[in-house]
PDB file of all heavy atoms in Angstrom:
ATOM      1  N   GLN P 125     -94.271  11.089 128.673  1.00 93.00           N
ATOM      2  CA  GLN P 125     -94.215   9.578 128.811  1.00 93.00           C
ATOM      3  C   GLN P 125     -94.996   9.125 129.992  1.00 93.00           C
ATOM      4  O   GLN P 125     -95.698   8.073 129.862  1.00 93.00           O
ATOM      5  CB  GLN P 125     -92.728   9.166 129.052  1.00 93.00           C
ATOM      6  CG  GLN P 125     -91.890   9.458 127.827  1.00 93.00           C
ATOM      7  CD  GLN P 125     -90.340   9.320 128.090  1.00 93.00           C
ATOM      8  OE1 GLN P 125     -89.971   9.215 129.246  1.00 93.00           O
ATOM      9  NE2 GLN P 125     -89.621   9.471 127.111  1.00 93.00           N
ATOM     10  N   GLN P 126     -95.100   9.849 131.120  1.00 93.00           N
ATOM     11  CA  GLN P 126     -95.873   9.441 132.298  1.00 93.00           C
ATOM     12  C   GLN P 126     -97.371   9.401 131.897  1.00 93.00           C
ATOM     13  O   GLN P 126     -98.098   8.558 132.421  1.00 93.00           O
ATOM     14  CB  GLN P 126     -95.596  10.328 133.457  1.00 93.00           C
ATOM     15  CG  GLN P 126     -96.189   9.802 134.718  1.00 93.00           C
ATOM     16  CD  GLN P 126     -95.706   8.449 135.115  1.00 93.00           C
ATOM     17  OE1 GLN P 126     -94.536   8.194 135.231  1.00 93.00           O
ATOM     18  NE2 GLN P 126     -96.705   7.531 135.381  1.00 93.00           N
ATOM     19  N   THR P 127     -97.756  10.378 131.104  1.00 93.00           N
ATOM     20  CA  THR P 127     -99.160  10.404 130.727  1.00 93.00           C
ATOM     21  C   THR P 127     -99.563   9.170 129.937  1.00 93.00           C
ATOM     22  O   THR P 127    -100.640   8.608 130.262  1.00 93.00           O
ATOM     23  CB  THR P 127     -99.515  11.682 129.880  1.00 93.00           C
ATOM     24  OG1 THR P 127     -99.067  12.842 130.672  1.00 93.00           O
ATOM     25  CG2 THR P 127    -100.957  11.839 129.463  1.00 93.00           C
ATOM     26  N   PHE P 128     -98.758   8.768 128.979  1.00 94.00           N
ATOM     27  CA  PHE P 128     -99.105   7.540 128.273  1.00 94.00           C
ATOM     28  C   PHE P 128     -98.994   6.342 129.282  1.00 94.00           C
ATOM     29  O   PHE P 128     -99.780   5.399 129.108  1.00 94.00           O
ATOM     30  CB  PHE P 128     -98.040   7.310 127.118  1.00 94.00           C
ATOM     31  CG  PHE P 128     -98.371   8.224 125.984  1.00 94.00           C
ATOM     32  CD1 PHE P 128     -97.412   9.077 125.419  1.00 94.00           C
ATOM     33  CD2 PHE P 128     -99.581   8.093 125.344  1.00 94.00           C
ATOM     34  CE1 PHE P 128     -97.758   9.901 124.349  1.00 94.00           C
ATOM     35  CE2 PHE P 128     -99.937   8.879 124.211  1.00 94.00           C
ATOM     36  CZ  PHE P 128     -98.970   9.842 123.722  1.00 94.00           C
ATOM     37  N   GLN P 129     -98.018   6.369 130.128  1.00 95.00           N
ATOM     38  CA  GLN P 129     -97.915   5.159 131.023  1.00 95.00           C
ATOM     39  C   GLN P 129     -99.161   5.158 131.978  1.00 95.00           C
ATOM     40  O   GLN P 129     -99.646   4.133 132.218  1.00 95.00           O
ATOM     41  CB  GLN P 129     -96.569   5.323 131.927  1.00 95.00           C
ATOM     42  CG  GLN P 129     -96.363   4.087 132.786  1.00 95.00           C
ATOM     43  CD  GLN P 129     -96.276   2.767 131.928  1.00 95.00           C
ATOM     44  OE1 GLN P 129     -95.603   2.760 130.989  1.00 95.00           O
ATOM     45  NE2 GLN P 129     -97.035   1.822 132.433  1.00 95.00           N
ATOM     46  N   ASP P 130     -99.605   6.357 132.485  1.00 95.00           N
ATOM     47  CA  ASP P 130    -100.769   6.286 133.179  1.00 95.00           C
ATOM     48  C   ASP P 130    -102.086   5.806 132.567  1.00 95.00           C
ATOM     49  O   ASP P 130    -102.833   5.130 133.093  1.00 95.00           O
ATOM     50  CB  ASP P 130    -101.078   7.764 133.793  1.00 95.00           C
ATOM     51  CG  ASP P 130    -100.015   8.313 134.738  1.00 95.00           C
ATOM     52  OD1 ASP P 130     -99.252   7.455 135.147  1.00 95.00           O
ATOM     53  OD2 ASP P 130    -100.061   9.511 134.890  1.00 95.00           O
ATOM     54  N   LEU P 131    -102.172   6.212 131.244  1.00 96.00           N
ATOM     55  CA  LEU P 131    -103.230   5.695 130.458  1.00 96.00           C
ATOM     56  C   LEU P 131    -103.197   4.084 130.393  1.00 96.00           C
ATOM     57  O   LEU P 131    -104.109   3.404 130.578  1.00 96.00           O
ATOM     58  CB  LEU P 131    -103.232   6.235 129.026  1.00 96.00           C
ATOM     59  CG  LEU P 131    -104.208   5.628 128.002  1.00 96.00           C
ATOM     60  CD1 LEU P 131    -105.561   5.883 128.432  1.00 96.00           C
ATOM     61  CD2 LEU P 131    -103.908   6.309 126.571  1.00 96.00           C
ATOM     62  N   LYS P 132    -101.953   3.611 129.963  1.00 97.00           N
ATOM     63  CA  LYS P 132    -101.825   2.150 129.934  1.00 97.00           C
ATOM     64  C   LYS P 132    -102.045   1.457 131.239  1.00 97.00           C
ATOM     65  O   LYS P 132    -102.749   0.402 131.237  1.00 97.00           O
ATOM     66  CB  LYS P 132    -100.450   1.835 129.433  1.00 97.00           C
ATOM     67  CG  LYS P 132    -100.272   0.358 129.289  1.00 97.00           C
ATOM     68  CD  LYS P 132     -98.825  -0.143 128.940  1.00 97.00           C
ATOM     69  CE  LYS P 132     -98.814  -1.664 128.883  1.00 97.00           C
ATOM     70  NZ  LYS P 132     -97.862  -2.276 129.737  1.00 97.00           N
ATOM     71  N   SER P 133    -101.617   2.051 132.375  1.00 97.00           N
ATOM     72  CA  SER P 133    -101.784   1.443 133.631  1.00 97.00           C
ATOM     73  C   SER P 133    -103.266   1.428 134.050  1.00 97.00           C
ATOM     74  O   SER P 133    -103.763   0.404 134.596  1.00 97.00           O
ATOM     75  CB  SER P 133    -101.037   2.223 134.689  1.00 97.00           C
ATOM     76  OG  SER P 133     -99.687   2.144 134.479  1.00 97.00           O
ATOM     77  N   ALA P 134    -103.987   2.507 133.744  1.00 96.00           N
ATOM     78  CA  ALA P 134    -105.426   2.525 134.047  1.00 96.00           C
ATOM     79  C   ALA P 134    -106.192   1.488 133.213  1.00 96.00           C
ATOM     80  O   ALA P 134    -107.055   0.737 133.745  1.00 96.00           O
ATOM     81  CB  ALA P 134    -106.043   3.927 133.698  1.00 96.00           C
ATOM     82  N   LEU P 135    -105.806   1.371 131.941  1.00 97.00           N
ATOM     83  CA  LEU P 135    -106.445   0.285 131.090  1.00 97.00           C
ATOM     84  C   LEU P 135    -106.113  -1.092 131.617  1.00 97.00           C
ATOM     85  O   LEU P 135    -106.958  -2.005 131.709  1.00 97.00           O
ATOM     86  CB  LEU P 135    -105.952   0.438 129.633  1.00 97.00           C
ATOM     87  CG  LEU P 135    -106.596   1.550 128.761  1.00 97.00           C
ATOM     88  CD1 LEU P 135    -105.766   1.969 127.655  1.00 97.00           C
ATOM     89  CD2 LEU P 135    -108.036   1.018 128.402  1.00 97.00           C
ATOM     90  N   GLN P 136    -104.814  -1.267 131.957  1.00 97.00           N
ATOM     91  CA  GLN P 136    -104.379  -2.557 132.475  1.00 97.00           C
ATOM     92  C   GLN P 136    -105.171  -2.956 133.764  1.00 97.00           C
ATOM     93  O   GLN P 136    -105.638  -4.063 133.910  1.00 97.00           O
ATOM     94  CB  GLN P 136    -102.881  -2.513 132.675  1.00 97.00           C
ATOM     95  CG  GLN P 136    -102.304  -3.946 132.897  1.00 97.00           C
ATOM     96  CD  GLN P 136    -100.738  -3.935 132.753  1.00 97.00           C
ATOM     97  OE1 GLN P 136    -100.212  -3.108 132.013  1.00 97.00           O
ATOM     98  NE2 GLN P 136    -100.162  -4.953 133.428  1.00 97.00           N
ATOM     99  N   ASP P 137    -105.266  -2.009 134.676  1.00 97.00           N
ATOM    100  CA  ASP P 137    -106.012  -2.272 135.934  1.00 97.00           C
ATOM    101  C   ASP P 137    -107.424  -2.576 135.613  1.00 97.00           C
ATOM    102  O   ASP P 137    -108.053  -3.552 136.160  1.00 97.00           O
ATOM    103  CB  ASP P 137    -105.906  -0.979 136.752  1.00 97.00           C
ATOM    104  CG  ASP P 137    -106.719  -1.142 138.048  1.00 97.00           C
ATOM    105  OD1 ASP P 137    -106.302  -2.070 138.879  1.00 97.00           O
ATOM    106  OD2 ASP P 137    -107.605  -0.325 138.269  1.00 97.00           O
ATOM    107  N   ARG P 138    -108.120  -1.802 134.759  1.00 97.00           N
ATOM    108  CA  ARG P 138    -109.492  -2.044 134.410  1.00 97.00           C
ATOM    109  C   ARG P 138    -109.703  -3.427 133.800  1.00 97.00           C
ATOM    110  O   ARG P 138    -110.685  -4.198 134.151  1.00 97.00           O
ATOM    111  CB  ARG P 138    -110.047  -0.940 133.483  1.00 97.00           C
ATOM    112  CG  ARG P 138    -111.474  -1.147 133.184  1.00 97.00           C
ATOM    113  CD  ARG P 138    -112.388  -1.032 134.408  1.00 97.00           C
ATOM    114  NE  ARG P 138    -113.747  -1.143 134.115  1.00 97.00           N
ATOM    115  CZ  ARG P 138    -114.494  -2.312 134.204  1.00 97.00           C
ATOM    116  NH1 ARG P 138    -113.872  -3.338 134.636  1.00 97.00           N
ATOM    117  NH2 ARG P 138    -115.705  -2.310 133.852  1.00 97.00           N
ATOM    118  N   LEU P 139    -108.828  -3.802 132.872  1.00 97.00           N
ATOM    119  CA  LEU P 139    -108.901  -5.048 132.162  1.00 97.00           C
ATOM    120  C   LEU P 139    -108.617  -6.241 133.163  1.00 97.00           C
ATOM    121  O   LEU P 139    -109.265  -7.258 133.127  1.00 97.00           O
ATOM    122  CB  LEU P 139    -107.875  -5.164 131.082  1.00 97.00           C
ATOM    123  CG  LEU P 139    -108.142  -4.326 129.816  1.00 97.00           C
ATOM    124  CD1 LEU P 139    -107.007  -4.263 128.931  1.00 97.00           C
ATOM    125  CD2 LEU P 139    -109.470  -4.631 129.138  1.00 97.00           C
ATOM    126  N   SER P 140    -107.664  -6.021 134.137  1.00 97.00           N
ATOM    127  CA  SER P 140    -107.435  -6.998 135.159  1.00 97.00           C
ATOM    128  C   SER P 140    -108.548  -7.332 136.052  1.00 97.00           C
ATOM    129  O   SER P 140    -108.928  -8.430 136.349  1.00 97.00           O
ATOM    130  CB  SER P 140    -106.222  -6.647 136.039  1.00 97.00           C
ATOM    131  OG  SER P 140    -105.066  -6.555 135.225  1.00 97.00           O
ATOM    132  N   ARG P 141    -109.331  -6.230 136.419  1.00 96.00           N
ATOM    133  CA  ARG P 141    -110.447  -6.414 137.293  1.00 96.00           C
ATOM    134  C   ARG P 141    -111.529  -7.155 136.445  1.00 96.00           C
ATOM    135  O   ARG P 141    -112.225  -8.058 137.068  1.00 96.00           O
ATOM    136  CB  ARG P 141    -110.933  -5.021 137.730  1.00 96.00           C
ATOM    137  CG  ARG P 141    -110.132  -4.372 138.801  1.00 96.00           C
ATOM    138  CD  ARG P 141    -110.696  -3.156 139.395  1.00 96.00           C
ATOM    139  NE  ARG P 141    -110.371  -2.004 138.493  1.00 96.00           N
ATOM    140  CZ  ARG P 141    -111.214  -1.105 138.047  1.00 96.00           C
ATOM    141  NH1 ARG P 141    -112.481  -1.120 138.452  1.00 96.00           N
ATOM    142  NH2 ARG P 141    -110.830  -0.165 137.271  1.00 96.00           N
ATOM    143  N   ALA P 142    -111.699  -6.806 135.296  1.00 97.00           N
ATOM    144  CA  ALA P 142    -112.701  -7.465 134.364  1.00 97.00           C
ATOM    145  C   ALA P 142    -112.393  -8.929 134.223  1.00 97.00           C
ATOM    146  O   ALA P 142    -113.254  -9.852 134.217  1.00 97.00           O
ATOM    147  CB  ALA P 142    -112.906  -6.827 133.133  1.00 97.00           C
ATOM    148  N   LYS P 143    -111.092  -9.265 134.007  1.00 97.00           N
ATOM    149  CA  LYS P 143    -110.628 -10.628 133.859  1.00 97.00           C
ATOM    150  C   LYS P 143    -110.855 -11.388 135.126  1.00 97.00           C
ATOM    151  O   LYS P 143    -111.376 -12.572 135.079  1.00 97.00           O
ATOM    152  CB  LYS P 143    -109.162 -10.623 133.442  1.00 97.00           C
ATOM    153  CG  LYS P 143    -108.607 -12.014 133.144  1.00 97.00           C
ATOM    154  CD  LYS P 143    -107.139 -11.829 132.665  1.00 97.00           C
ATOM    155  CE  LYS P 143    -106.455 -13.229 132.444  1.00 97.00           C
ATOM    156  NZ  LYS P 143    -105.085 -13.045 131.971  1.00 97.00           N
ATOM    157  N   LYS P 144    -110.587 -10.896 136.294  1.00 97.00           N
ATOM    158  CA  LYS P 144    -110.776 -11.533 137.535  1.00 97.00           C
ATOM    159  C   LYS P 144    -112.343 -11.754 137.818  1.00 97.00           C
ATOM    160  O   LYS P 144    -112.626 -12.776 138.435  1.00 97.00           O
ATOM    161  CB  LYS P 144    -110.198 -10.737 138.719  1.00 97.00           C
ATOM    162  CG  LYS P 144    -108.664 -10.782 138.753  1.00 97.00           C
ATOM    163  CD  LYS P 144    -108.195  -9.926 139.942  1.00 97.00           C
ATOM    164  CE  LYS P 144    -106.622  -9.953 139.956  1.00 97.00           C
ATOM    165  NZ  LYS P 144    -106.056  -8.925 140.743  1.00 97.00           N
ATOM    166  N   ALA P 145    -113.085 -10.803 137.300  1.00 96.00           N
ATOM    167  CA  ALA P 145    -114.582 -11.013 137.472  1.00 96.00           C
ATOM    168  C   ALA P 145    -115.128 -11.923 136.472  1.00 96.00           C
ATOM    169  O   ALA P 145    -116.438 -12.205 136.513  1.00 96.00           O
ATOM    170  CB  ALA P 145    -115.186  -9.609 137.348  1.00 96.00           C
ATOM    171  N   GLY P 146    -114.346 -12.483 135.557  1.00 96.00           N
ATOM    172  CA  GLY P 146    -114.875 -13.439 134.616  1.00 96.00           C
ATOM    173  C   GLY P 146    -115.425 -12.800 133.430  1.00 96.00           C
ATOM    174  O   GLY P 146    -116.102 -13.454 132.477  1.00 96.00           O
ATOM    175  N   GLU P 147    -115.353 -11.540 133.267  1.00 96.00           N
ATOM    176  CA  GLU P 147    -115.952 -10.718 132.120  1.00 96.00           C
ATOM    177  C   GLU P 147    -115.022 -10.966 130.802  1.00 96.00           C
ATOM    178  O   GLU P 147    -115.589 -10.741 129.775  1.00 96.00           O
ATOM    179  CB  GLU P 147    -115.946  -9.301 132.477  1.00 96.00           C
ATOM    180  CG  GLU P 147    -116.804  -8.365 131.724  1.00 96.00           C
ATOM    181  CD  GLU P 147    -116.899  -6.991 132.154  1.00 96.00           C
ATOM    182  OE1 GLU P 147    -116.543  -6.727 133.358  1.00 96.00           O
ATOM    183  OE2 GLU P 147    -117.200  -6.152 131.331  1.00 96.00           O
TER     184      GLU P 147
END
Side-chain angles (χ1 to χ4, degrees):
Q125 291 166 358
Q126 188 61 52
T127 302
F128 283 122
Q129 188 58 49
D130 291 347
L131 172 61
K132 183 190 179 232
S133 294
L135 281 160
Q136 192 165 333
D137 178 63
R138 182 64 181 96
L139 294 171
S140 292
R141 285 185 279 133
K143 185 176 175 179
K144 285 179 187 169
E147 195 179 340

